[in-house]
Amino acid sequence: MALNAIQMILVVIVAFLAGVEGVLDQFHFHQPVIACTLIGLVTGNLVPCLILGGSLQMIALGWANVGAAVAPDAALASVASAIILVLGGQGKAGVSSAIALAVPLAVAGLLLTIIARTLATLIVHVMDAAAKEGSFGKLEAWHYVAICMQGLRIAIPAGLILAIGAGPVRSLLAAMPAWLTDGLSVGGGMVVAVGYAMVINMMATKEVWPFFALGFVLATIPDLTLIALGTIGIALALIYLTLSKMGGSSNGGNSGSGDPLGDIIDKY
């Protein structure tokens, strides 16, 4: 679909905020579920973009900066894939292709991240000089410059995709053969599964596996809504915390580890 000037400006603003929040991490505009939803809201494609954001969020949960290894750019992946989804005009049918395109876009975004961080080192030296001069106004001004640079890191690619327009994007997606689109759909589903598996691998402990299995069982009940599942999850968390406190108390001569569920699992 074609976007009007106001929608394009709003999309660029969302992209700018996503880039800024990639550093500040205060309002989480860089998270896929929020960035994609905002782009869908300003472009009138809320439902497809919300589905895209939720799927990408499961992938991005497994991305983390570990040591010198820099994680793929979730902000660029979210913004670029959401814009491509909107311009393609395929609605929900284009979500799988957008997910498959998001991963290489996120990896390509690492180059922009490296450039921005390299320039940031130069800004740090300028700020050090301003601090020695005692010029707090200059120090604050350069701080804003550095933050805006992070926003432009996402806003400029978003503007370039918008400049290409809906026609070329739609033609590109339409020119893809069936075997490629089907492969992207399968690959997109596998990427989501891999991201979810990475999250489970980080969180998995002997104490939480029973809750994980219980959640799978409850999810198969069609009459349970997300609100019901959330309520059950909160109740289980409160029960677990209560049992942990009881196990950690000295009353009754309890010699356990303070984790009743963990002690039970250890016996088996």
Side-chain angles (χ1 to χ4, degrees), residues 25-197:
D25 202 14
Q26 183 175 3
F27 299 102
H28 296 278
F29 288 134
H30 64 295
Q31 296 294 342
V33 69
I34 297 180
C36 293
T37 301
L38 291 177
I39 291 178
L41 186 63
V42 300
T43 59
N45 291 265
L46 181 60
V47 175
C49 288
L50 183 59
I51 296 174
L52 173 63
S55 301
L56 289 180
Q57 189 66 57
M58 295 306 302
I59 304 174
L61 286 175
W63 292 346
N65 297 328
V66 181
V70 181
D73 195 338
L76 181 59
S78 306
V79 171
S81 61
I83 295 175
I84 292 174
L85 176 63
V86 171
L87 294 180
Q90 296 180 340
K92 297 179 182 178
V95 171
S96 298
S97 299
I99 293 174
L101 292 173
V103 176
L105 288 172
V107 176
L110 290 177
L111 176 61
L112 297 176
T113 301
I114 293 173
I115 294 175
R117 293 187 178 186
T118 302
L119 295 176
T121 58
L122 301 176
I123 294 177
V124 168
H125 293 303
V126 176
M127 296 174 69
D128 288 338
K132 291 180 180 179
E133 297 173 0
S135 178
F136 293 100
K138 185 184 295 184
L139 188 66
E140 185 176 3
W142 278 106
H143 176 77
Y144 283 113
V145 170
I147 295 298
C148 291
M149 182 180 63
Q150 296 294 333
L152 294 175
R153 175 177 59 87
I154 307 298
I156 291 177
L160 292 176
I161 297 175
L162 291 173
I164 294 175
V169 173
R170 191 181 301 111
S171 300
L172 176 63
L173 295 177
M176 291 182 178
W179 61 267
L180 180 58
T181 55
D182 293 341
L184 289 176
S185 299
V186 175
M190 292 179 63
V191 168
V192 176
V194 170
Y196 191 43

